[in-house]
Amino acid sequence: MNFIIWIVVGGILGWLASLVMRTDAQQGIFLNVIVGIIGALLGGWLLAPLFGTGTINQNDFSISSLLVSFLGAVVLLAIVNLLRRGTPR
C-alpha cells in the first residue's frame, strides 16, 4: 500500500513542481510521477540534512518531508531547464 501512496504523492508533487516551473504543458502523468520521485531523492540528498527531516521515499509523509520532496522536484526541473535551454526560467 505504501508503494501506491508513494506513486500518487510523487505524481502530485511532480505536477505541482511542473506548475511552478511552467513545464506542465510539456509533461504527462508518467513524467510527473518520475519528476516527483527523483525530485524526492534529490531533495533527500541535498535538502533533508538542512531541514532535519526525511522525504516521501523514506515513508515519511509529514508536512516537512512533503516540502523537502517538492523543493527537490523544483530543483530537478530547474536543472533540466538549464541543460535544455541554457537559461533558467
Side-chain angles (χ1 to χ4, degrees), residues 18-27 74 77-89:
S18 69
L19 287 176
V20 169
M21 296 301 292
R22 296 184 188 118
T23 60
D24 190 43
Q26 302 165 358
Q27 296 180 192
V74 169
L77 287 176
I79 291 170
V80 168
N81 281 340
L82 273 173
L83 294 176
R84 265 196 199 160
R85 294 182 179 88
T87 58
R89 286 185 167 199

Side-chain angles (χ1 to χ4, degrees), residues 40-74:
L41 287 171
L42 185 65
W45 185 59
L46 294 174
L47 303 172
L50 295 174
F51 291 105
T53 186
T55 63
I56 62 167
N57 293 342
Q58 299 165 343
N59 290 330
D60 180 15
F61 291 103
S62 64
I63 297 296
S64 60
S65 69
L66 292 174
L67 179 66
V68 166
S69 299
F70 170 73
L71 290 175
V74 169

